[in-house]
Amino acid sequence: MNAKAMTEKYISRGLVYAVLLIAAAFFLTPLYVMVATSFKDAEQIRSGNLLSLPNSLNLDSWRLAWDSACTGVDCRGLKPYFLNSVVMAVPAVLLSTAWGAINGYVLSMWKFKGSEMLFGFMLFGVFMPFQVVLLPMSQVLGYLGLSSSLGGLVLVHCLAGLAGTTLFFRNYYAAIPRELVNAARMDGAGFWRIFWRIVVPMSTPILMVTLIWQFTSIWNDFLFGVAFSGADSKPITVGLNNMANTSSSVKSYNVDMAAAVIAGLPTMLVYVLAGQYFVKGLTAGAVKG
Amino acid sequence: MLKLSKLAAAVALVVATSAAMAGEVEVLHYWTSGGEAKSVAELKKIMQAKGHTWKDFAVAGGGGDNAATVLKSRVVSGNPPAAAQIKGPAIQEWASEGVLANLDATAKAEKWDNLLPGVVADVMKYKGNYVAAPVNVHRVNWMWANAAVLKKAGVSGAPKTWDEFFAAADKVKKAGLIAVAHGGQNWQDFTTFESVVLGVGGAKFYNDALIKLDPKALTSDTMKKSLETFRKIKSYTDPASPGRDWNLATAMVIQEKAAFQFMGDWAKGEFSAAGKVPGKDYICAAAPGTANAYTFNVDSFAMFKLKDAGAQKAQGDLAASIMGTEFQEVFNLNKGSIPVRLNMSMAKFDDCAKLSSKDFVDTAKTGGLVPSVAHGMAIKPAAEGAIKDAVSQFWNDDKISIASGLANIAKAAATK
Amino acid sequence: MKSLENIIPKLVIAPGLVLGFAFIYGFMVWNGVLSVTASRMLPSYDEFVGLEQYVRLWEMDRWRLALKNLGIFSVLYVGGSMALGMGLAIFLDQKVRLEGVLRTVYLYPMALSFIVTGTAWKWMLNPSLGLEKLMHDLGWASFSFDWLVQSDTAIYCVVIAGIWQSAGFAMALSLAGLRGIDDSIIKAAQMDGASLPRIYWRIILPILRPVVFSTVLVLSHLSIKSFDLVMALTAGGPGYASDVPATFMYVMSFTRGQIGLGAASATMMLATVAAIVVPYLYSELRTKPHER
C-alpha cells in the first residue's frame, strides 16, 4: 500500500474511533453524573458543578438512600421497595417467559385452522398503550381480591407481557427446521416430549433475550406500579419517585442520585453481564423484519 | 348474684370487643416535605397510643396528582384506604359516588357543629352528613419576606399595594438579588394569580370571577388589570423557576437569595424548621391589597366506607383524633396553619398564626373570607384544572397576549 | 391418539389466547364504552352521551398541543434513534477493537428506568444547576441552554433523553442485521472498485430495509406510549407545554375527574397505534406463508 492509501486508512480508522468514543461519552455522562454526585457531600454539590470529581468517596448518601431516607412519614429508605420489586419481578419474569415459550411453541409448530389469524390479533397487544387498561384492571383485581398486592402486580405484568413473549418465541421457533420435529413425531414423540426434549434445549438464545427484556420492562415499570400497589407493595420505581419528590428545604441531590443508582443497579448488571447474549439472541432472529 | 355476673359479663364483653376492635387505618396522603411529614407523624403517634395500627401510604408528586391516581384505582377495585387526603368540592364528588362513610356518630359525640365555622362544616358534609374531618385552616394570600434582604435593598416594611410592591421589587433587583422566589408548577402559578385577583379586584370580584365563574367578570377590565399585574410579577422571578418545588422557593427566601414569596402559610413551617423567627428574620404580611380578605384552604381527610368492624372503629377514632385538641395544636404548630377547631388557645402559636386566627374570624363576619381556587376549595376539579392550565400557559408563554389570556381563561371556566 | 394430539395444542394455548384477548380487546372495548359515557370521578354507566367526549376532546387546546408534541417527538425520536443507532452500528462493524465494551456502553441506557434517568437528566438540563452552569464555570459565560424551562423547547429535551435511551437498541438491531449480510456480496463490490461508503449506501442499507422497518415500528410504538419519560423529565411542563397524549390521558382520568374524556383520549391513542401497526401486521402475516 502506498503512503496515500496508508494515510487514508489511518484517517478513516481514526475517524471511526473518534466517532465511537464521542458517542460513548454521550452515553456515559449521565451515569457518571449520577454516580459522582452520589459520592459528593451537600457542600460540594452546591459549590461544584456537574462534572467535577468527588473530593472523596463519601458513602453516607448510599447508606441513607438504602435504609433511612424518608418518603413522607416512612423513613426506611429504598430497602423495602427493593425487596418488593424482587418479590414481584422474579415470578412475573419467569411466568411470563414460560407462558410465552409454550404459546410460541404451539403457534409455530402445532398450527391449526385460524391460529395464524389469532396470532395476528394477539400481536396487537404488543403495541397497545397500557393507559387503556388501568381502570378496568383495577376493577378486575378488586374482584379477584388481589388489589394493592404484589400478587396483583405479578398478574398484571404477566398479562401485559404475554403478547411480547409469545411473539419472541414464535418467531424464533418458526426458524427451527421442520425435519427435526417431523422425525420426532414419526418416532412417536408427543406434544410435551417434543417440547422438553427438542425445543427447549435449542431455546437458549431466545430465552436469554426474553428474560432480559422482561426483567427490564417489569423492574422499570412505573405506571402499573403506581396504579396498582398498596402501602406495602410499592415497587422500587414508585419508592424512588417518592423519594426524589420528597424534599425538605434542602434537596439532597446526593441521596437522590444514590437512590437512582441503587434502583438501576439490577438491570444494569443484567445488561453488562448478559448483554452479549441479548445481541446474540437478536442476531438469531428474535425480532425479525 | 345474677346481676353481678351479668355486669361482669357485660364488662368482659366491652373489654373484649374494644380490644378486638383495635383496628388498622390505612391513610393515603401526599404530605412528604419536611414540615409536613413531621405533622403527619403526630397523628400516627396519637392513633398508635389508642392501640390502633397506622399504615402510612404516602404518594409523592404533583401536589396530590399521583395520590389521586392511586386512590381512584383503589376505590374502583373495591378496596379503598380508610382515609385519604381529599379536600374541597372533591369531597362532595366522591360522596356522590356513594363511597364515603357517614361520620355523624363521631361528629355528634364530639360536637363538631359547635366547633367548626359554618363555611368549613359545609365542605365536610354531603347532604347534611359529615363525611370528612378537617385538619386545619391555611391562609393562602400570604406574602413572605426576608427581613435582611429587605433591609439590604432599602425597603422599609412589607408593601401594602401592588404599586408599592413593584417599587420594592425594583429596589431588590437593583441590589442584585431575586425579587420574587417562585416555583413553576400549576398550582403555584395560580396561588400567585388568585392573590393578584383578590388584591386588584377585592373579595366580591374574586367571588364573581373565580368562584361563580361569571363570564362578564372574567372578561372585565378588572380581570385585564389582574393579568397585567400578574405578568409583571414574572419579570421579577428567576429563569430557573419552572418545575421548582414550593419549599425550594421558600428556601431561597430563607437563605437570603430572594426577597418575597407568594405562598400559603405552610411556607411558615419551613421557616420554623430552619429556626427562623417571625418579625425578626422574616415578615408575614397579606399579599398587597388583600389585608381585609382571607383565602382559606382547609386540608381534610375523607373517610371511605369500610367493611371491617375493627377498621370502622379505628376510622371513627381517627376522625375524632383529627378534631381533638391535642392533634389540632401539635399538627398546626408544625405545619404553619391554624387549628380549624374554634375557640382553641393560640398561646403557643407565633405572631403570624395569631394574625391569621384573628383575620379568619374577622373576615368571616365581613364577607372577606373566600375559598382558595388554587387549592381546590372552590370549584369542581374539571373546571379548576382547565383554568389552571390557561393561567399557567399565560404565565409561561410571554407570547400569549392579554386578550388571548382573557379569552382562554373564560373558555376554560366553561368546562363542565 | 391422533385426535388427542390435535386437541392438546389447542388446550394449551387456550388460556393464553382467552386471557390475552380479554386483556387486550376486552379492555379496549371497555375503554371505548367508557368514552361514550359521562363518567367523571369514577366509571358510571348511567348516562350515554354519544360522541360528546370526543367533541370536547378536540376542542381542548391542551389535547391539540399534546398531539403536536407527539408528532414532533415521534419523528425526532424515531428518526434520531434510528440514524444514531445505525450510524453507530456501521462504525462498530468495522472490526473495532473495543467492540464488546462499546456495545455495552451504547446499550445500557435501555436497562434504566426513566424514573431513574429522569432524575439525572432533569438536573443536568436545569439552567442554574446543570449544563448551563457547567459551561459558565468553564468560562463560556454567554452559553445558555434553558430548553427545559421554555415552553417552546421543553419537548426537545424529552427527545434528547429519549434518543439517549433508545439509540442503543436501534444499534443492536442494526448490528445484528449487518452481521447477517453475506460477505461475498461486499467482496464482489469491492473487487469492482466501489469505495466503502458507496458500498454501504448502495448495497448494504437497502438489504437492511426489513431491520429498519421493524426497528422503526418498535420505536414508534414506544414513542406513543411514552409516559415515564415525560413524567420524570418535565411532568408535562412548563405549564402543559410538553404534554403528550399518554400524560394527558393520565391527568384527565385520575386527577381531573374526567374519566370519560380520558377514555376518549385513550381511544385516540389506540387509533393512532392501530393506523401504524395494523397495515404492517397484515402485510407481515400475509407474506410469511410464502417465505416458508
Side-chain angles (χ1 to χ4, degrees):
Chain A
M1 230 189 302
N2 59 25
K4 179 159 176 276
M6 288 264 281
T7 327
E8 259 181 25
K9 181 171 184 235
Y10 280 119
I11 290 181
S12 62
R13 286 314 273 176
L15 183 67
V16 168
Y17 277 101
V19 167
L20 290 175
L21 288 173
I22 293 176
F26 171 64
F27 283 101
L28 282 175
T29 310
L31 182 63
Y32 167 75
V33 168
M34 273 166 44
V35 174
T37 311
S38 69
F39 284 123
K40 295 182 189 167
D41 57 35
E43 184 51 50
Q44 225 200 323
I45 294 179
R46 220 193 334 260
S47 56
N49 62 44
L50 271 190
L51 292 184
S52 51
L53 282 168
N55 285 339
S56 61
L57 287 178
N58 186 334
L59 287 177
D60 284 343
S61 317
W62 290 81
R63 243 193 308 267
L64 275 171
W66 181 246
D67 59 27
S68 51
C70 295
T71 59
V73 180
D74 186 359
C75 288
R76 291 177 298 155
L78 274 188
K79 187 159 67 180
Y81 305 116
F82 191 91
L83 293 173
N84 279 346
S85 276
V86 172
V87 168
M88 183 263 299
V90 169
V93 171
L94 293 176
L95 279 172
S96 57
T97 306
W99 204 355
I102 295 179
N103 287 345
Y105 171 57
V106 169
L107 286 173
S108 59
M109 295 186 186
W110 295 88
K111 290 193 224 199
F112 48 88
K113 190 150 164 244
S115 68
E116 281 296 283
M117 202 178 68
L118 286 175
F119 173 61
F121 276 110
M122 191 186 225
L123 259 194
F124 189 73
V126 174
F127 302 100
M128 179 177 70
F130 286 136
Q131 278 76 6
V132 171
V133 312
L134 284 184
L135 285 175
M137 199 65 216
S138 300
Q139 278 195 302
V140 169
L141 284 179
Y143 190 65
L144 293 173
L146 283 176
S147 69
S148 1
S149 71
L150 288 174
L153 268 180
V154 171
L155 177 63
V156 177
H157 283 300
C158 281
L159 287 175
L162 190 59
T165 55
T166 304
L167 169 67
F168 280 172
F169 280 99
R170 184 254 187 203
N171 274 4
Y172 181 78
Y173 290 154
I176 291 184
R178 256 327 98 78
E179 297 74 50
L180 270 177
V181 180
N182 290 336
R185 278 170 91 164
M186 285 207 285
D187 282 346
F191 180 84
W192 289 111
R193 213 186 168 105
I194 297 181
F195 186 62
W196 288 116
R197 289 302 188 83
I198 299 181
V199 174
V200 169
M202 294 181 77
S203 308
T204 314
I206 191 61
L207 262 178
M208 295 304 296
V209 169
T210 312
L211 286 172
I212 293 175
W213 183 265
Q214 282 296 94
F215 182 70
T216 309
S217 316
I218 294 177
W219 184 269
N220 288 341
D221 158 75
F222 177 70
L223 186 67
F224 290 155
V226 80
F228 299 130
S229 61
D232 297 333
S233 49
K234 283 185 257 182
I236 198 168
T237 41
V238 179
L240 176 65
N241 190 54
N242 273 1
M243 194 176 287
N245 280 317
T246 300
S247 43
S248 352
S249 39
V250 185
K251 205 167 169 92
S252 341
Y253 286 106
N254 43 4
V255 177
D256 287 350
M257 294 295 143
V261 177
I262 292 176
L265 220 43
T267 43
M268 269 199 288
L269 274 176
V270 165
Y271 266 81
V272 168
L273 295 176
Q276 49 171 327
Y277 297 111
F278 188 70
V279 179
K280 269 205 201 114
L282 286 178
T283 319
V287 187
K288 271 220 290 232
Chain B
M1 274 321 266
L2 204 61
K3 268 196 191 159
L4 201 59
S5 61
K6 249 200 183 165
L7 182 62
V11 168
L13 195 63
V14 169
V15 169
T17 31
S18 51
M21 289 285 215
E24 181 186 81
V25 278
E26 190 181 2
V27 182
L28 176 69
H29 68 92
Y30 47 94
W31 277 327
T32 50
S33 96
E36 297 170 335
K38 245 173 58 177
S39 318
V40 173
E42 294 302 322
L43 189 56
K44 179 175 174 183
K45 260 194 258 170
I46 295 178
M47 286 299 286
Q48 282 171 335
K50 289 212 169 112
H52 298 298
T53 342
W54 172 285
K55 233 164 120 181
D56 191 72
F57 195 176
V59 182
D65 285 351
N66 286 341
T69 308
V70 176
L71 181 61
K72 201 148 289 183
S73 76
R74 288 287 299 270
V75 173
V76 162
S77 76
N79 178 19
Q85 191 184 343
I86 308 176
K87 55 185 176 173
I91 297 179
Q92 277 74 39
E93 285 218 16
W94 279 107
S96 71
E97 300 280 348
V99 293
L100 295 187
N102 186 327
L103 297 173
D104 280 348
T106 312
K108 269 204 193 53
E110 302 285 322
K111 300 200 180 54
W112 284 7
D113 277 329
N114 296 345
L115 294 170
L116 292 174
V119 70
V120 173
D122 286 340
V123 179
M124 300 296 128
K125 289 185 186 167
Y126 180 70
K127 296 202 171 140
N129 304 110
Y130 275 100
V131 289
V135 174
N136 57 10
V137 176
H138 278 296
R139 184 180 196 173
V140 181
N141 59 325
W142 280 119
M143 180 177 64
W144 306 93
N146 184 301
V149 171
L150 288 188
K151 194 153 175 255
K152 196 160 155 206
V155 177
S156 56
K160 291 199 187 54
T161 66
W162 285 106
D163 290 329
E164 278 177 33
F165 173 77
F166 287 120
D170 279 328
K171 286 194 186 147
V172 174
K173 230 177 166 182
K174 259 206 212 65
L177 294 164
I178 301 171
V180 178
H182 185 74
Q185 291 172 339
N186 229 337
W187 65 274
Q188 292 190 60
D189 299 336
F190 208 90
T191 299
T192 309
F193 180 66
E194 67 181 20
S195 287
V196 170
V197 170
L198 192 58
V200 168
K204 184 167 179 309
F205 177 71
Y206 178 94
N207 257 311
D208 288 337
L210 295 184
I211 303 199
K212 295 207 191 98
L213 299 179
D214 176 13
K216 270 210 296 296
L218 285 171
T219 47
S220 65
D221 281 338
T222 322
M223 187 50 96
K224 184 158 169 285
K225 187 148 183 286
S226 306
L227 280 180
E228 283 163 5
T229 313
F230 184 57
R231 176 154 275 168
K232 199 162 171 205
I233 296 179
K234 184 172 179 198
S235 58
Y236 293 96
T237 61
D238 70 302
S241 59
R244 178 185 287 142
D245 290 323
W246 70 268
N247 48 356
L248 297 180
T250 315
M252 285 165 68
V253 177
I254 294 178
Q255 289 160 9
E256 295 179 22
K257 296 204 189 103
F260 298 104
Q261 187 191 15
F262 294 103
M263 188 48 63
D265 55 23
W266 47 88
K268 195 173 65 138
E270 298 297 311
F271 282 103
S272 310
K276 301 295 177 191
V277 177
K280 193 159 79 77
D281 302 310
Y282 68 95
I283 300 174
C284 56
T290 68
N292 293 326
Y294 191 111
T295 327
F296 71 85
N297 170 20
V298 170
D299 286 316
S300 51
F301 280 100
M303 307 284 171
F304 284 84
K305 280 194 185 135
L306 297 174
K307 301 183 196 108
D308 179 54
Q312 281 173 2
K313 168 104 181 27
Q315 197 180 46
D317 278 348
L318 179 65
S321 307
I322 290 174
M323 274 292 286
T325 49
E326 184 191 344
F327 174 73
Q328 286 285 316
E329 190 177 82
V330 160
F331 180 88
N332 288 298
L333 277 173
N334 269 318
K335 198 159 191 308
S337 44
I338 59 172
V340 66
R341 185 185 169 115
L342 288 172
N343 306 327
M344 281 204 44
S345 157
M346 295 295 292
K348 286 201 195 141
F349 288 82
D350 62 40
D351 291 335
C352 294
K354 287 189 183 131
L355 176 61
S356 179
S357 182
K358 181 174 163 302
D359 283 347
F360 183 58
V361 173
D362 287 345
T363 52
K365 295 190 196 122
T366 62
L369 182 64
V370 291
S372 163
V373 176
H375 297 274
M377 294 307 298
I379 52 182
K380 292 223 168 102
E384 178 196 315
I387 299 182
K388 278 185 181 163
D389 277 348
V391 168
S392 280
Q393 281 299 89
F394 178 78
W395 171 267
N396 282 308
D397 191 350
D398 287 330
K399 293 199 288 301
I400 299 180
S401 68
I402 306 270
S404 306
L406 278 177
N408 289 342
I409 293 176
K411 184 164 165 223
T415 312
K416 267 186 299 297
Chain C
M1 255 346 261
K2 199 82 198 300
S3 60
L4 188 64
E5 211 180 69
N6 276 341
I7 293 185
I8 290 184
K10 293 184 194 161
L11 279 181
V12 165
I13 202 169
L17 283 178
V18 167
L19 286 174
F21 271 61
F23 188 76
I24 302 168
Y25 296 101
F27 287 169
M28 264 167 60
V29 167
W30 194 93
N31 182 73
V33 167
L34 259 189
S35 70
V36 295
T37 66
S39 302
R40 305 193 44 217
M41 267 253 148
L42 291 178
S44 96
Y45 309 101
D46 302 328
E47 206 190 320
F48 286 94
V49 296
L51 292 176
E52 191 186 295
Q53 299 282 24
Y54 289 91
V55 169
R56 224 195 279 166
L57 184 69
W58 285 98
E59 279 176 355
M60 284 181 80
D61 190 45
R62 185 169 169 161
W63 169 252
R64 291 199 298 268
L65 182 63
L67 280 179
K68 176 165 158 242
N69 282 338
L70 181 65
I72 297 176
F73 175 71
S74 298
V75 169
L76 292 176
Y77 166 73
V78 175
S81 302
M82 195 67 236
L84 183 59
M86 178 156 291
L88 287 176
I90 290 176
F91 278 97
L92 268 184
D93 197 31
Q94 305 300 321
K95 299 193 183 42
V96 170
R97 235 182 292 171
L98 297 162
E99 187 188 308
V101 171
L102 284 171
R103 230 180 30 218
T104 310
V105 166
Y106 300 145
L107 207 50
Y108 91 89
M110 263 190 73
L112 297 176
S113 151
F114 253 105
I115 304 299
V116 168
T117 51
T119 315
W121 275 103
K122 200 156 98 168
W123 190 33
M124 279 168 54
L125 294 175
N126 185 302
S128 59
L129 297 168
L131 186 63
E132 201 177 86
K133 178 166 187 278
L134 173 68
M135 287 309 198
H136 289 181
D137 285 354
L138 287 179
W140 279 298
S142 58
F143 181 84
S144 99
F145 192 80
D146 57 358
W147 285 11
L148 189 65
V149 297
Q150 294 291 342
S151 302
D152 294 337
T153 51
I155 190 70
Y156 299 109
C157 290
V158 184
V159 171
I160 294 175
I163 293 180
W164 179 83
Q165 192 184 45
S166 303
F169 176 69
M171 175 222 65
L173 285 181
S174 306
L175 196 57
L178 283 172
R179 294 277 156 87
I181 295 179
D182 204 349
D183 262 348
S184 53
I185 303 178
I186 305 181
K187 287 211 175 65
Q190 275 178 324
M191 284 211 282
D192 281 346
S195 68
L196 210 54
R198 206 191 166 96
I199 292 178
Y200 270 105
W201 191 247
R202 284 300 196 82
I203 300 179
I204 294 183
L205 285 184
I207 295 183
L208 283 181
R209 207 183 294 158
V211 171
V212 171
F213 206 46
S214 50
T215 314
V216 166
L217 193 71
V218 174
L219 288 175
S220 305
H221 113 263
L222 280 180
S223 83
I224 293 179
K225 275 180 165 177
S226 47
F227 172 77
D228 295 2
L229 175 45
V230 178
M231 267 307 186
L233 199 56
T234 62
Y240 56 78
S242 61
D243 210 22
V244 291
T247 48
F248 177 91
M249 186 261 175
Y250 180 80
V251 166
M252 289 301 146
S253 300
F254 292 102
T255 323
R256 298 278 180 94
Q258 291 186 290
I259 289 187
L261 191 67
S265 68
T267 310
M268 297 307 321
M269 276 169 70
L270 266 174
T272 318
V273 168
I276 301 176
V277 165
V278 168
Y280 164 74
L281 286 181
Y282 185 65
S283 69
E284 168 77 351
L285 290 166
R286 233 165 27 109
T287 58
K288 270 280 195 295
H290 297 309
E291 283 176 358
R292 226 170 311 285

